[in-house]
Amino acid sequence: MKDAPSLETLFIHAGQGHEWPRQYPTAPAIIPSTSFRTQSPEIMDAILGGDAPGFTYSRHANPTVKAFSEAVRVLEGGAVAQAFSSGMAALDAALFAVGLNPGDRLLLSRDLYGATMTLSEQVWGTMGIHVETVDVTDLERTEEALLRLRPRGLVVETLSNPLMKVPDLSRLIALAHKVECQVIVDNTFATPVLVRPLTLGADLVVHSATKYLGGHGDAIGGVVVAHQGYESRLHQYVKIRGSVLSPFDAWLLLRGIKTLGVRFERQCQNAAHAADLLLASGRFHRVYYPGLPDHPSHWTANTLFSGRGYGAVVTVDVPGGRARIFHLLSRLTLVGSATTVGDVYTLCLYPSIASHRNQSAEALQAMGISDETLRIAVGLESVDDIVDDILTALD
Ligand SMILES: Cc1ncc(COP(=O)(O)O)c(C=O)c1O
């Protein structure tokens, strides 16, 4: 008898059945009710006081939303999970959950999604939090920054957006914990299919569920999964700030998760194949994909992801920069030009006008993002068709 079901089984069943002790529907239920009637005021008192489980008002908790967060909790191997209206709301909640106070320091990976950087620097930074960035793939520099700043939190991505750099998570977490710094890992690009950061000691894991968890480009949401001890701050955040996930979106995201395993496995294979073809075409100054031996994170990715894949994003440097990329984007027919990743559709994004638009020229240069950088989020179409569309549009 196995101790626990495998991930493939959990994708299908996690999060379902908890509110239905005797029988439950095969497909999860959408419960859009804003409030819940209780049989007695004593029951309502107990639920609102946190002395009994249950539902009173959907800004506090909702069964469909809970089913979604419970599914991600199980997949990420955490003790608690809280869903939010977007990935950004989830990141903001994770920063709140680590207990930042004025005067505290916050250390960020230099290679974060642009809006995460803006949130940290321009929202938390104006509230008396000192924010610094460091290249987390350079452990020596990161250790120096940790010892110098003794930050309350460190924010990293398992696969950075858009250059797909991979930090050595286990060693990074150990270094952070030496100075009592809590580690927030944005696992959006890797998903629990490749790695489960909480099992490596991370304190909180964040997802933009909008991406691979949902997978179909039809719902925006976010989720934080954490170890014991973070529940009350995460719950307080959603109750008071009100950044709740809608039950309809929770249902779509939960439905997406059921095929996450097969979708993501195939998308990783497609991306690896596309990276090979784009490289072989000789048409790009550089192709960035951690599955390629010349990617700076190739060996770290091999260890961290143990051969399960290297993610589904391939980034290229297009000779000719902005003018040529605008030409390419306007001529694509199959591949879309859109600002997201993780969908079943292949989508291209030009980071310098989109995800990293608000970053300074110096910050972009330090990250290695130039006006030639083009991100390709590989979907489920035939790889030959995807690459053919891109190369034809480039001509
Ligand atoms: C790595 C990463 N984290 C967080 C977010 C924010 O997610 P959302 O758009 O759901 O707020 C994004 C969005 O692109 C992202 O790429």
Side-chain angles (χ1 to χ4, degrees), residues 107 135-144 146-147 154 156 158 166-181 183 185 195 197 199-203 299-300 303-304:
L107 188 59
D135 175 4
V136 290
T137 61
D138 183 337
L139 287 176
E140 238 172 78
R141 280 204 180 167
T142 308
E143 183 171 27
E144 180 280 316
L146 285 165
L147 289 170
L154 166 68
V156 297
T158 28
V166 184
D168 182 339
L169 265 192
S170 303
R171 289 174 66 195
L172 197 60
I173 291 165
L175 290 177
H177 283 175
K178 265 199 209 162
V179 294
E180 289 174 20
C181 166
V183 182
V185 180
V195 64
T199 64
L200 302 176
D203 299 282
W299 293 108
T300 314
T303 314
L304 194 63

Side-chain angles (χ1 to χ4, degrees), residues 85-91 112-116 157 159-161 186-189 206-211 219-222 339-341 349 355 375:
S85 53
S86 69
M88 289 315 300
L91 277 156
L112 288 181
Y113 171 55
T116 309
E157 289 172 4
L159 274 166
S160 78
N161 177 6
D186 183 333
N187 202 27
T188 299
F189 273 43
V206 176
H207 277 275
S208 165
T210 317
K211 312 294 192 256
I220 287 197
T339 58
T340 193
V341 299
L349 168 132
S355 57
R375 184 184 84 185

Side-chain angles (χ1 to χ4, degrees), residues 65-377:
V65 174
K66 185 156 181 233
F68 161 70
S69 56
E70 179 61 14
V72 188
R73 182 192 72 73
V74 171
L75 294 176
E76 286 287 4
V80 299
Q82 179 70 56
F84 297 93
S85 53
S86 69
M88 289 315 300
L91 277 156
D92 195 42
L95 291 171
F96 175 78
V98 300
L100 290 172
N101 291 309
D104 280 346
R105 275 87 49 205
L106 177 65
L107 188 59
L108 307 177
S109 161
R110 192 191 55 188
D111 295 276
L112 288 181
Y113 171 55
T116 309
M117 206 72 102
T118 310
L119 168 73
S120 306
E121 288 171 347
Q122 293 180 23
V123 178
W124 287 93
T126 56
M127 294 191 295
I129 310 298
H130 174 78
V131 182
E132 279 195 29
T133 62
V134 69
D135 175 4
V136 290
T137 61
D138 183 337
L139 287 176
E140 238 172 78
R141 280 204 180 167
T142 308
E143 183 171 27
E144 180 280 316
L146 285 165
L147 289 170
R148 177 170 49 81
L149 295 169
R150 300 201 161 255
R152 189 169 295 270
L154 166 68
V155 186
V156 297
E157 289 172 4
T158 28
L159 274 166
S160 78
N161 177 6
L163 297 179
M164 302 294 274
K165 297 179 196 166
V166 184
D168 182 339
L169 265 192
S170 303
R171 289 174 66 195
L172 197 60
I173 291 165
L175 290 177
H177 283 175
K178 265 199 209 162
V179 294
E180 289 174 20
C181 166
Q182 299 157 84
V183 182
I184 300 171
V185 180
D186 183 333
N187 202 27
T188 299
F189 273 43
T191 86
V193 174
L194 295 190
V195 64
R196 308 200 303 158
L198 294 174
T199 64
L200 302 176
D203 299 282
L204 300 110
V205 163
V206 176
H207 277 275
S208 165
T210 317
K211 312 294 192 256
Y212 295 101
L213 299 188
H216 294 74
D218 50 16
I220 287 197
V223 59
V224 179
V225 186
H227 292 298
Q228 212 78 53
Y230 288 100
E231 188 170 14
S232 67
R233 279 187 83 81
L234 290 171
H235 194 220
Q236 187 194 11
Y237 181 100
V238 79
K239 257 167 64 179
I240 302 307
R241 290 250 160 103
S243 43
V244 283
L245 181 62
S246 127
F248 293 98
D249 286 340
W251 187 86
L252 285 168
L253 298 172
L254 191 52
R255 179 183 168 126
I257 285 174
K258 296 193 187 305
T259 54
L260 172 66
V262 283
R263 267 190 291 113
F264 196 65
E265 188 182 328
R266 175 60 80 88
Q267 280 175 277
C268 288
Q269 288 165 7
N270 283 1
H273 188 187
D276 286 341
L277 295 179
L278 293 167
L279 186 65
S281 75
R283 309 278 287 283
F284 302 99
H285 277 157
R286 193 150 173 204
V287 177
Y288 304 82
Y289 185 66
L292 294 173
D294 73 338
H295 190 283
S297 298
H298 180 62
W299 293 108
T300 314
N302 277 347
T303 314
L304 194 63
F305 305 148
S306 311
R308 290 182 287 272
Y310 297 94
V313 170
V314 180
T315 296
V316 289
D317 281 347
V318 181
R322 181 181 168 106
R324 192 95 183 279
I325 288 177
F326 272 40
H327 168 86
L328 183 157
L329 292 175
S330 61
R331 294 188 68 237
L332 291 167
T333 55
L334 170 72
V335 173
S337 164
T339 58
T340 193
V341 299
D343 292 357
V344 292
Y345 318 98
T346 297
L347 299 172
C348 281
L349 168 132
Y350 188 28
S352 57
I353 64 159
S355 57
H356 291 73
R357 185 181 187 100
N358 295 324
Q359 300 307 301
S360 66
E362 300 76 52
L364 290 176
Q365 196 184 13
M367 281 184 232
I369 297 171
S370 75
D371 75 336
E372 292 196 341
T373 310
L374 179 70
R375 184 184 84 185
I376 306 162

